Amino acid sequence: MHYVNKIFPGFDFILLQIVLQEIEIMNKGKTVLAQIMSLIPRYEFDKCVKRYNGNRHAIEFKCRDQFMVMSFAQFTGQDSLRSIDATLVALSSKLYSSGIKYIQRSTLAHINQAKDWRIYHDLGQILIAQARYLYRNEPSRLDVDGIVYAFDSSTVKLCLQLCPWARLHHDKGGVKMHTLLDLRGAIPTFIYLTEAAVHDSKAMSLVPVEPGNYYLMDKGYVDFKQLFCHFHRQRAFFVTRAKDNMKYEVVEEHPVDKSTGVISDSTIRLTGLKTSRWYPDTLRMVVYEDYATGNLYRFLTNDFTHSYLTIAELYRERWQVECFFKWIKQHLNIKAFYGTSQNAVYSQIWIAICDYLLLAIAKKMFYVDQELYILSSVIGKVLFERKPLGELFVKSKRPMNDSDSDQLNLWGNFFGQ
């Protein structure tokens, strides 16, 4: 398989063949779930557990058992602890072959509350690094030199009466996922969980900024002080939208082809009492009209190099992060939580993110020839199938033997054919 060249780029060819044979032997006869879980680096996972004393006082059920059962629940779409319990009992004869232990719902609830959620946060960082390496050569739709990221947040609603720590406003509660998405493969590179009441701009200073790369944000992140200090000064490019009450003056107008939908391309300077101090340099504003809807968009950027159409198209790519949030809420089970404490909720979210990353890694590693959303939709139905992941969507061509022919004749005679 070609994926070995990606994971071990410096290896000798003969050594690559040995590694390939060992991987194939290791996965031979394994269930689909076991093959997915084999992608987790065991040594690194154990370091995450040890870092937070995850297995302290654990005799029968350890962090690995929690992760396996919770991942099983995510993939199969279980909506409660009772449902997880019943499904595990129904499939008890198949659990051992996939490395899953049966855990009673009361025990699982206690584990989710007790074992530190940061274990799965740290595991997520390891899987993020793996996924980013695999998707590093994914083609970009836009001709820009740097990596394009989209930064946004999404709120996962919670019942405030059950989760009083997650206050939003009035009688509503929730957790907000602040996410930086690498658009090469839609890989989340940075995720920060907060209470839903925390404003989006509060997470901007935590975003890892890399010089020369592009960061796409909506106008909820228009904080000129942070845009200047955290992005512009570090030689990173941002594209966002101007707020309606922004005060500015036009320094220079640039020619545009209005038939493209772009109305103007201007160099501007902020004139607000505070904003002019927060962002003392010039900005570029591209005004674009969507003829289909009649909406007018004012894009702000510190990129003066690329064409005005590229700036408009860059912001259009930001919608990929919205698709990511929609996808992860539909296909990974974070709408129904199995616990109400902050630790239980954060653990479930991070395990769901780890499962997403595992599927993304598996898609590349095993050359699964399907979109990720199709793989995630199907995976829960074939977890205990003993079929190589790379052949999951390949129709088997089993030759018909004599017994099959006799059986067809029997049914033909039964129906009088």
Side-chain angles (χ1 to χ4, degrees), residues 128 176 188 276-277 376 396 403 417:
I128 285 170
K176 187 174 284 188
S276 59
R277 295 200 310 269
S376 66
S396 59
S403 60
Q417 296 177 353

PDB file of all heavy atoms in Angstrom, residues 128 176 188 276-277 376 396 403 417:
ATOM      1  N   ILE A 128      -4.409  15.088  15.488  1.00  0.00           N
ATOM      2  CA  ILE A 128      -4.391  16.252  14.601  1.00  0.00           C
ATOM      3  C   ILE A 128      -3.082  16.299  13.823  1.00  0.00           C
ATOM      4  O   ILE A 128      -3.063  16.532  12.604  1.00  0.00           O
ATOM      5  CB  ILE A 128      -4.601  17.549  15.403  1.00  0.00           C
ATOM      6  CG1 ILE A 128      -6.073  17.702  15.814  1.00  0.00           C
ATOM      7  CG2 ILE A 128      -4.143  18.773  14.605  1.00  0.00           C
ATOM      8  CD1 ILE A 128      -6.326  18.819  16.800  1.00  0.00           C
ATOM      9  N   LYS A 176     -19.440  26.196  23.777  1.00  0.00           N
ATOM     10  CA  LYS A 176     -19.025  26.765  22.498  1.00  0.00           C
ATOM     11  C   LYS A 176     -17.702  26.130  22.065  1.00  0.00           C
ATOM     12  O   LYS A 176     -16.745  26.056  22.841  1.00  0.00           O
ATOM     13  CB  LYS A 176     -18.882  28.281  22.616  1.00  0.00           C
ATOM     14  CG  LYS A 176     -18.623  28.986  21.289  1.00  0.00           C
ATOM     15  CD  LYS A 176     -18.633  30.498  21.455  1.00  0.00           C
ATOM     16  CE  LYS A 176     -20.052  31.028  21.589  1.00  0.00           C
ATOM     17  NZ  LYS A 176     -20.093  32.516  21.563  1.00  0.00           N
ATOM     18  N   PRO A 188      -9.497  19.938  11.878  1.00  0.00           N
ATOM     19  CA  PRO A 188      -9.461  20.946  12.949  1.00  0.00           C
ATOM     20  C   PRO A 188      -8.093  20.942  13.622  1.00  0.00           C
ATOM     21  O   PRO A 188      -7.675  19.934  14.187  1.00  0.00           O
ATOM     22  CB  PRO A 188     -10.568  20.468  13.907  1.00  0.00           C
ATOM     23  CG  PRO A 188     -10.670  18.996  13.665  1.00  0.00           C
ATOM     24  CD  PRO A 188     -10.318  18.763  12.233  1.00  0.00           C
ATOM     25  N   SER A 276      -8.427  53.595  15.360  1.00  0.00           N
ATOM     26  CA  SER A 276      -7.264  54.159  14.659  1.00  0.00           C
ATOM     27  C   SER A 276      -5.977  53.929  15.450  1.00  0.00           C
ATOM     28  O   SER A 276      -4.890  53.854  14.871  1.00  0.00           O
ATOM     29  CB  SER A 276      -7.465  55.654  14.415  1.00  0.00           C
ATOM     30  OG  SER A 276      -7.645  56.356  15.644  1.00  0.00           O
ATOM     31  N   ARG A 277      -6.098  53.827  16.781  1.00  0.00           N
ATOM     32  CA  ARG A 277      -4.926  53.517  17.608  1.00  0.00           C
ATOM     33  C   ARG A 277      -4.673  52.012  17.627  1.00  0.00           C
ATOM     34  O   ARG A 277      -3.522  51.578  17.644  1.00  0.00           O
ATOM     35  CB  ARG A 277      -5.134  54.029  19.036  1.00  0.00           C
ATOM     36  CG  ARG A 277      -5.226  55.534  19.156  1.00  0.00           C
ATOM     37  CD  ARG A 277      -4.949  55.998  20.579  1.00  0.00           C
ATOM     38  NE  ARG A 277      -5.732  55.276  21.574  1.00  0.00           N
ATOM     39  CZ  ARG A 277      -6.917  55.643  22.028  1.00  0.00           C
ATOM     40  NH1 ARG A 277      -7.471  56.760  21.557  1.00  0.00           N
ATOM     41  NH2 ARG A 277      -7.556  54.929  22.936  1.00  0.00           N
ATOM     42  N   SER A 376     -18.508   7.904   7.562  1.00  0.00           N
ATOM     43  CA  SER A 376     -19.024   8.033   8.932  1.00  0.00           C
ATOM     44  C   SER A 376     -20.455   7.531   9.053  1.00  0.00           C
ATOM     45  O   SER A 376     -20.862   7.038  10.105  1.00  0.00           O
ATOM     46  CB  SER A 376     -18.952   9.499   9.372  1.00  0.00           C
ATOM     47  OG  SER A 376     -19.820  10.297   8.598  1.00  0.00           O
ATOM     48  N   SER A 396     -17.653  -7.423  -3.351  1.00  0.00           N
ATOM     49  CA  SER A 396     -16.976  -8.710  -3.425  1.00  0.00           C
ATOM     50  C   SER A 396     -17.454  -9.494  -4.639  1.00  0.00           C
ATOM     51  O   SER A 396     -18.627  -9.456  -5.014  1.00  0.00           O
ATOM     52  CB  SER A 396     -17.233  -9.518  -2.145  1.00  0.00           C
ATOM     53  OG  SER A 396     -18.612  -9.733  -1.967  1.00  0.00           O
ATOM     54  N   SER A 403     -22.983 -25.713  -4.659  1.00  0.00           N
ATOM     55  CA  SER A 403     -24.043 -25.671  -3.650  1.00  0.00           C
ATOM     56  C   SER A 403     -24.933 -24.455  -3.856  1.00  0.00           C
ATOM     57  O   SER A 403     -26.139 -24.516  -3.667  1.00  0.00           O
ATOM     58  CB  SER A 403     -23.429 -25.657  -2.240  1.00  0.00           C
ATOM     59  OG  SER A 403     -22.607 -24.509  -2.097  1.00  0.00           O
ATOM     60  N   GLN A 417     -40.726 -22.273 -11.162  1.00  0.00           N
ATOM     61  CA  GLN A 417     -40.042 -21.769 -12.341  1.00  0.00           C
ATOM     62  C   GLN A 417     -39.278 -22.900 -13.027  1.00  0.00           C
ATOM     63  O   GLN A 417     -38.909 -23.877 -12.416  1.00  0.00           O
ATOM     64  CB  GLN A 417     -39.067 -20.649 -11.925  1.00  0.00           C
ATOM     65  CG  GLN A 417     -39.802 -19.448 -11.347  1.00  0.00           C
ATOM     66  CD  GLN A 417     -38.820 -18.389 -10.883  1.00  0.00           C
ATOM     67  OE1 GLN A 417     -37.621 -18.596 -10.871  1.00  0.00           O
ATOM     68  NE2 GLN A 417     -39.353 -17.242 -10.470  1.00  0.00           N
TER      69      GLN A 417
END
